[in-house]
Amino acid sequence: MNIIFDKIKSADRRVTGMIFLVLSVIAMIYTGNQILKMHEPDILYPGEGVTEKKSLSDYEQGLQNSPADTDIYFLESGEPGAKVLVLGGTHNDEPSGQLSAITLLENAVVTCGSLYVIPRINNSGATYTQEMTGQPKYVELETAKGIRKIRTGSRYANTAHQFPDPDVFENTGHAKYPGPESRNMNRVYPGRTDGYLAERAAHALVEFVKKEEIDLVIDLHEAVPEHYVVNCMIGHDTAMEVVAFTLMSLQMQGIDIKMYPSPDVPGFSHRSIGDSTGAMVVLAETTNILQGAFRGKPTQELLQTGKDPFYDILVRKEKVFVDYSSEIGVSLSERVGRHLTTVMELTRTLSFYDPEKMIMIENVPEIQELMDNGIETYLEPKSDV
């Protein structure tokens, strides 16, 4: 009898092992497919204002066929004037930046001067989400034509594309950071051709700014409410007069915003792009509750509404640097509206500051329109594309 029981136990173990093996393979296939989907580029719908599309690798051949290469959209009027570059997706976990850039390329029409839009300058960082955060992989917009998905991602380039991290990263300006910051686009400017992948992408962007003779670069970001650098503009030395006039205009429209001069620390876009080119550079920050250290479950709803009662506690303790109530939240539409209004006011101020740097951009939704109608209204997929 013992021999029979031993055979049954042995058979049970083999069956159990086979079941676990099959389940493991299924899990690996499913996970692998999810990872591969994050590498699929978003479908964008360039508007009638887009006149040309190029790639970052057109300005740095070493980026060709690399995960750091990304699209550059030209909206040129054919009339002389200012040249303005808008950057989204420096940090892919700050979605209002890239959605603002996408809204521009799908809606804006330029009648004087030229606008250039890079929806996701850190393309590698859009291929994964930061480990241990549970952040949504996509922004899901409920349009009249169905759900439109746009990737989120990480603030860092993917370790699968740039490995290993150094113990200490020293950029070309000799500023030193923890090793993972070698994958942070906003720490590696002006970059170098023989450096890490993020550095090569940064160098390509600087070459683009030089070659196209860009007058103003606007880098769109988001920040946690518990950090003082939030709802603000940070300007290079050459841009501070334009920033100051823009700040007054935004405040007159009821938009609470601050301004800071760029610190003299190499690596930041607002410092090193400005130092390396003739362009004025401004970085704009909105509030993103989903990034916060004290937020609740990282859901799609929190990403889009910014409503989190945990932050009401921090408000009562005076630990945040924004006016906040979870009953109102800080919606994605409002954050995109803030960014687009900032872009429009910076360009108007630039034109006033230097009449030879005129740029006129039309068909861009205003902040109240975005808050009333929702960002999804302006990003509805075009059926003919």
Side-chain angles (χ1 to χ4, degrees):
M1 291 296 293
N2 286 339
I3 295 173
I4 295 173
F5 283 132
D6 287 343
K7 287 182 178 179
I8 293 173
K9 289 177 183 178
S10 177
D12 286 346
R13 284 195 295 270
R14 286 197 295 271
V15 170
T16 301
M18 287 298 296
I19 290 172
F20 275 110
L21 178 61
V22 170
L23 290 175
S24 298
V25 170
I26 291 172
M28 288 170 63
I29 293 172
Y30 175 79
T31 304
N33 283 335
Q34 294 301 305
I35 292 171
L36 289 175
K37 283 181 180 179
M38 287 289 287
H39 286 71
E40 295 174 2
D42 296 319
I43 299 174
L44 302 180
Y45 304 89
E48 61 182 79
V50 175
T51 55
E52 188 178 5
K53 184 176 80 168
K54 290 188 177 182
S55 298
L56 202 58
S57 59
D58 292 329
Y59 301 86
E60 184 73 69
Q61 288 190 348
L63 288 181
Q64 236 172 15
N65 300 318
S66 82
D69 201 5
T70 195
D71 292 328
I72 307 171
Y73 293 86
F74 289 52
L75 291 82
E76 296 179 315
S77 68
E79 298 294 329
K83 295 183 174 183
V84 176
L85 169 64
V86 175
L87 299 176
T90 296
H91 295 150
N92 292 287
D93 57 349
E94 301 169 10
S96 76
Q98 61 204 39
L99 289 203
S100 299
I102 293 170
T103 302
L104 285 172
L105 80 90
E106 295 191 1
N107 293 272
V109 175
V110 181
T111 57
C112 178
S114 299
L115 176 66
Y116 306 87
V117 178
I118 302 180
R120 183 175 284 112
I121 185 60
N122 177 12
N123 202 33
S124 171
T127 60
Y128 80 116
T129 52
Q130 197 68 31
E131 58 274 6
M132 305 301 290
T133 63
Q135 300 229 359
K137 295 181 175 64
Y138 300 91
V139 176
E140 298 179 7
L141 302 175
E142 191 172 344
T143 76
K145 295 181 180 177
I147 300 294
R148 178 176 179 181
K149 289 186 176 183
I150 297 173
R151 289 176 298 167
T152 57
S154 170
R155 67 188 286 110
Y156 299 109
N158 197 329
T159 50
H161 303 149
Q162 181 178 311
F163 182 84
D165 292 333
D167 293 330
V168 176
F169 168 64
E170 183 174 345
N171 64 26
T172 55
H174 305 296
K176 294 182 179 179
Y177 296 99
E181 296 300 309
S182 65
R183 293 183 282 117
N184 183 347
M185 284 285 291
N186 205 30
R187 299 295 183 272
V188 303
Y189 288 109
R192 48 191 154 199
T193 56
D194 58 349
Y196 292 103
L197 184 66
E199 290 183 286
R200 303 203 313 267
H203 184 268
L205 180 68
V206 169
E207 289 302 302
F208 168 80
V209 172
K210 289 178 181 177
K211 184 171 182 179
E212 300 298 340
E213 298 180 326
I214 302 298
D215 298 298
L216 173 64
V217 179
I218 307 172
D219 189 8
L220 302 179
H221 287 251
E222 295 191 300
V224 297
E226 60 266 29
H227 194 279
Y228 75 94
V229 183
V230 64
N231 285 1
C232 68
M233 291 179 288
I234 307 170
H236 185 265
D237 310 341
T238 57
M240 287 309 294
E241 193 167 351
V242 169
V243 168
F245 277 103
T246 299
L247 177 111
M248 289 188 288
S249 179
L250 291 171
Q251 289 182 336
M252 288 174 65
Q253 296 178 54
I255 295 176
D256 181 32
I257 192 164
K258 304 180 287 290
M259 59 180 270
Y260 300 103
S262 175
D264 191 17
V265 179
F268 295 113
S269 62
H270 46 79
R271 169 50 55 192
S272 292
I273 296 177
D275 285 351
S276 303
T277 70
M280 299 179 183
V281 187
V282 180
L283 184 147
E285 298 271 13
T286 64
T287 305
N288 184 359
I289 299 296
L290 185 65
Q291 281 184 290
F294 301 93
R295 55 104 173 111
K297 188 176 180 180
T299 62
Q300 185 69 215
E301 181 181 4
L302 180 56
L303 185 158
Q304 298 205 31
T305 68
K307 295 181 177 181
D308 192 322
F310 286 104
Y311 269 90
D312 291 332
I313 301 171
L314 267 70
V315 170
R316 291 195 294 270
K317 293 179 178 293
E318 299 182 346
K319 298 296 184 182
V320 299
F321 292 87
V322 296
D323 291 330
Y324 182 79
S325 166
S326 65
E327 292 184 7
I328 301 172
V330 188
S331 72
L332 183 60
S333 297
E334 178 184 349
R335 285 140 52 196
V336 171
R338 285 182 64 100
H339 271 330
L340 291 179
T341 305
T342 300
V343 168
M344 295 299 288
E345 290 304 323
L346 282 167
T347 57
R348 290 181 187 124
T349 302
L350 177 64
S351 300
F352 175 78
Y353 179 79
D354 184 349
E356 293 187 1
K357 302 299 183 184
M358 180 72 68
I359 180 169
M360 297 180 67
I361 308 171
E362 300 177 351
N363 207 37
V364 177
E366 296 183 358
I367 184 169
Q368 196 58 54
E369 291 178 298
L370 282 155
M371 292 177 67
D372 290 344
N373 303 326
I375 179 61
E376 61 274 9
T377 303
Y378 304 94
L379 293 179
E380 186 173 293
K382 295 179 176 65
S383 57
D384 58 341
V385 176

